Amino acid sequence: MKKMVFILTIILFFNFAISTAAEDIELKDPWISQREQGNHGGTLITTLLGDPKTFNTLIAKETSSSEVIDGYIFEGLVGRNGITTEIESRLAKDWEISEDGKTYRFYLREGVKWNDGQEFTADDVIFTFDLISDKDIPTSARDGLIIDGEFPEYRKIDKYTVEFELAETFAPFLNSMTLMILPKHKLYEPWQKGNFNSTWGINTDPSEIVGTGPYKLADYRNGERIVMEKNEHYWRQDSEGKTLPYIDRWVRIIVGSQETDTLLFERGETHTLGVRGIDYNRLKQQSARSDYSIIDGGPSFSTNFLVFNMNPRNPNLEKQPWKYEWFTNLNFRRAVAYSMDKETMINQALAGQGSKQWSPISAPNQVFLNEAVKKYPYNLEKAREELKKGGFSWDDNGRLIDQDGRKVEFNILTNAGNETRETLLNIIATELRELGMKINSNPIDFNRLISHMESDWDYDSVLIGLTGGVEPHAGANVWPSHGHLHMWNPVQEEAATEWEARIDELFKKGVSTVETEERVKYYNEFQEIVAEQLPVIYTVTPNNIYAVRDQLKNTETTAYGGVLWNIYELYLEN
Amino acid sequence: MKTYILRRILIVIPLLLVISMLSFFIMQLSPGNYLDQMRMNPDISRELIESMEEDFGLNEGIMTQYFAWLGQTLQGNLGESFSYRVPVTQIIGSRLFNTLILSLSAMVFAWVIAIPIAIYSATHRYNILDNLFSVLAFIGLSIPNFFFALLLLFLIVRYNIPLPVSGMTSVMHDFMTPREQILDILRHLIVPTIVLGSAGTATIMRQMRGQMLDVINSDYIRTARAKGLKESTVINKHAFRNAINPMITMFGLQLSSLFSGAALTEIVTGWPGLGNLMLTAVRSKDLYLAMAGLMMGSLMLVIGNLIADLLLAVNDPRIHYN
């Protein structure tokens, strides 16, 4: 009997010791909100346009997954500010970059906890990079980290310090460090067993999904909603020292269509809405006597551009070799650029809510955007002049002919079902017909379009778009001549033209220094070259417009971050 | 009867096999595959796409892929979804149940409304109500479901009708008592049921009305009336029983659409059913997920037909199966 008591005492003691040990982890470096002190509590309701496909952030490829988890449930060592787009601290409170730009040392916030109460340490960071470097895990995170074919070396210095050593100076490395850190204590076992790729699928018990972000998953009903609850252990605090976020629960309703999304907002059932161009005027009028405001975040990262096939390997050239001559003729491309009626495009395709795009860097990218690039304002007279300079002329019926008297006729493809692009295509075709060209506009299935562009190389021209980002090197698959998305002439062994060679060089130089000012210079020149040479001809980009209930406070809405980028310091007024 | 059922079930096997081949090859013959969406993403390298292609077996020949799939399926493994990376059965399960609820409720709605109206119309031919029902039926037939759904939703918002606009359960669902939970789901069912049921109502109504008219004008009804039977007995017992036969066949066909016919309505009303999932799967070429959906639809069609044939025998003693 005595023995029992003794054992019990020991057990109790150990339990006590263990529980106090967990309590002992003290957050050494909280982040303190500078915004207005709000009240805690409440439920935020927003919408999602699609179901997540997985909660495993490394495997996730679609935005429908990443917009649920990245930044909200998981966080990176660093992240980007929602307003300035600059890199700022997250799980790492600070970092040092060596003189030669090859060694990065990150100092982690001490005492940060995963949302299940376990402490976050350097081991988790090392574990995450073990995962990323594992070739059996299909993750695009690895691509961003491989420099000259080598994965950087990484090591733990102590419990709160990690160090990376790169083979070469590589400026976008810090951008790659925004990738999400995963918990070793939850994922080590599945990884060892070889089923990491199917771990954290959509049917996982929500409490299994552990991150450091402001929210944790509480419930997911397939096709209906995701419910997230405040992470009680979060490392951000309000000015009174209480743990953020303010809002206790966050419900994200999965709506099937944008129409339903808008209706839900108008009924007052949700707090925010991404406004479509066609709803803008109506909602704007209503907002004056309603409890919400409309905020124009400015141009978004999405692009729409026209690209001509300048690939000498185009199989159609056997029959029509002259097309190569036309499309590689700079005057021809300039004429097309001058005939882009961007005002009409904005009014008709984007319901008035868009911006003109001139540079390959998207407008919200305040650090790298070069506003001084050559612009081609709508002017058919100038377009005709350019055509004349390029050796084109017109026959008696006003049809455009080239030097050898051939009528200028070509196809423009775009992906069917994308209303904006179909409208843009119509406007472009109308203007080019005005110049005497014969245009066959042809919206086709997306998959067919991709095979024309990616593997068959047999198209004339395509109206398509790519989504940009803040780091210009993200275009490394597009702009350098060896890139597989170098659409006009992909995967070249050696740059076909001088200006392409220069862009190759600029992209190499752009990563070879960590000084932002110097990088800006290289990327400015790159933007000038693209605007000068017009391998792609930009059209218009939609603006990101949001409707936000006045009840939701502390918001500062931008095209880059949306409404919710600082969700941890938003609060609901009673 | 038993041998008949057995024979029918045996015929199903080669039928499903052919259907599976057709669906698989048609889907594979259209250009591109699941990975195409990623090819236009500047963040994803070619090497990664190639390794995924290998992983999914998409680099194999179509025949190899088909037989690999068939072999798996026969062992009860429907394969893994490309986009979800989990077995398709896991994804389909809950969705299937939701679609079933909606389709059943729409079907009940359609039949319960259509049959009495049809009998009324047939017995009161060309009076005002009959004409009104005809007009409504034509509207119901011609209006596209998604548009009707949007229209209803718009009216709900415009006139602040206390009905939910989207989804199957409300946000507070998990905190309700079981009784409230059922009521909650019923409230959410109203709009999609009306939308989905309306087209069915119209078809059934017109069909049934025509059938009734044929029967009412036939000799044996005249005989029944001549015998001095009450009019209600003539209509309900004699005319109705005879007119309903072709409707049972229709019912069997409708059974098969239980799992497949509601995609657009589901999308607009945010109903978490199978239709939406399948549409995305087919469009993004998530091969095995789409195949599972198609095969399930086919299976239902076959079973629906069988049930209809059996019901026919039950209703009409003149029909025998040997």
Side-chain angles (χ1 to χ4, degrees), chain A residues 8 404 439 512 525:
Chain A
L8 256 175
D404 305 321
I439 307 295
S512 65
E525 190 186 338

Side-chain angles (χ1 to χ4, degrees), chain A residues 51 53 59 62 138 143 198 203 219 221-225 256 260 263 267 447-448 450 454 466 477 485, chain B residues 31 34 36 39-40 42 45-46 83-85 90 95 153 161 163 165 168-170 173-174 267-268 272:
Chain A
D51 273 288
K53 305 284 183 284
I59 301 297
E62 298 86 356
D143 296 334
S198 55
N203 290 347
D219 186 24
R221 277 170 172 263
N222 201 323
E224 290 190 75
R225 78 184 83 90
T260 323
L263 286 174
R267 279 203 105 186
N447 299 54
R448 270 180 67 206
I450 298 306
E454 263 257 318
L466 293 172
N477 283 326
L485 277 175
Chain B
Y34 169 72
D36 282 348
R39 288 179 210 273
M40 281 304 281
S45 72
R46 236 182 193 188
S83 49
Y84 292 86
R85 286 198 172 255
Q90 277 186 33
R95 301 272 191 147
L153 294 180
I161 300 165
L163 276 181
V165 180
M168 181 170 124
T169 52
S170 56
H173 187 82
D174 293 332
I267 291 171
V268 176

Side-chain angles (χ1 to χ4, degrees), chain A residues 56-248:
Chain A
N56 186 334
T57 169
L58 279 184
I59 301 297
K61 300 269 175 339
E62 298 86 356
T63 42
S64 60
S65 308
S66 56
E67 72 180 339
V68 171
I69 47 183
D70 289 359
Y72 302 126
I73 296 178
F74 304 107
E75 292 174 315
L77 290 178
V78 296
R80 285 194 181 272
N81 185 289
I83 301 170
T84 62
T85 73
E86 272 162 21
I87 299 253
E88 57 181 23
S89 70
R90 290 279 189 278
L91 291 174
K93 65 181 173 201
D94 204 0
W95 60 92
E96 275 168 12
I97 306 172
S98 66
E99 284 278 312
D100 59 1
K102 288 185 187 170
T103 314
Y104 286 69
R105 187 176 273 214
F106 291 90
Y107 300 98
L108 310 184
R109 268 175 221 282
E110 293 180 28
V112 171
K113 284 187 220 167
W114 295 96
N115 62 34
D116 62 354
Q118 299 271 347
E119 194 185 7
F120 156 80
T121 64
D123 289 329
D124 294 305
V125 181
I126 298 298
F127 171 68
T128 304
F129 283 87
D130 285 344
L131 290 176
I132 294 171
S133 53
D134 178 353
K135 290 235 159 60
D136 289 334
I137 298 174
T139 176
S140 56
R142 189 166 51 242
D143 296 334
L145 284 167
I146 291 181
I147 302 150
D148 278 348
E150 268 182 74
F151 198 81
E153 280 178 40
Y154 50 95
R155 61 183 90 87
K156 171 182 171 181
I157 303 293
D158 60 39
K159 199 177 169 193
Y160 301 112
T161 317
V162 284
E163 195 175 80
F164 293 84
E165 205 170 310
L166 320 187
E168 287 292 323
T169 310
F170 188 67
F173 183 73
L174 202 54
N175 180 65
S176 299
M177 287 300 104
T178 57
L179 59 87
M180 306 293 135
I181 301 297
L182 292 169
K184 184 175 184 181
H185 66 279
K186 279 285 171 193
L187 292 172
Y188 184 75
E189 236 174 88
W191 178 50
Q192 285 300 307
K193 283 187 193 149
N195 42 20
F196 176 82
N197 293 346
S198 55
T199 305
W200 285 1
I202 53 162
N203 290 347
T204 313
D205 173 10
S207 65
E208 281 296 303
I209 293 162
V210 169
T212 58
Y215 284 89
K216 61 183 175 192
L217 195 66
D219 186 24
Y220 168 49
R221 277 170 172 263
N222 201 323
E224 290 190 75
R225 78 184 83 90
I226 292 170
V227 182
M228 308 227 265
E229 266 160 24
K230 164 181 178 165
N231 171 7
E232 301 287 347
H233 306 289
Y234 198 44
W235 48 271
R236 296 191 199 253
Q237 295 177 349
D238 65 11
S239 45
E240 288 172 0
K242 274 182 162 168
T243 306
L244 289 175
Y246 289 115
I247 298 168
D248 282 346

Side-chain angles (χ1 to χ4, degrees), chain B residues 176-289:
Chain B
M176 293 174 173
T177 62
R179 217 187 121 221
E180 284 173 331
Q181 285 188 338
I182 292 174
L183 282 177
D184 183 44
I185 293 180
L186 287 179
R187 262 161 44 85
H188 281 81
L189 258 174
I190 294 176
V191 173
T193 299
I194 293 178
V195 171
L196 210 57
S198 66
T201 311
T203 329
I204 298 166
M205 207 159 94
R206 297 304 298 172
Q207 275 275 358
M208 186 68 190
R209 181 176 175 275
Q211 286 298 328
M212 279 298 278
L213 285 175
D214 280 353
V215 174
I216 285 173
N217 292 329
S218 61
D219 291 342
Y220 58 89
I221 295 294
R222 196 176 317 132
T223 315
R225 283 193 176 127
K227 279 198 301 190
L229 288 180
K230 272 193 290 180
E231 182 64 16
S232 63
T233 318
V234 173
I235 297 296
N236 294 336
K237 257 192 121 173
H238 294 267
F240 180 74
R241 284 283 299 269
N242 280 296
I244 200 82
N245 267 358
M247 306 307 289
I248 290 175
T249 316
M250 229 170 101
F251 177 79
L253 287 175
Q254 279 199 346
L255 260 190
S256 63
S257 69
L258 276 186
F259 291 106
S260 52
L264 283 176
T265 313
E266 280 179 1
I267 291 171
V268 176
T269 58
W271 190 264
L274 204 57
N276 202 341
L277 185 76
M278 280 305 137
L279 192 68
T280 335
V282 172
R283 283 175 58 175
S284 66
K285 297 208 156 200
D286 194 337
L287 195 59
Y288 301 127
L289 190 55

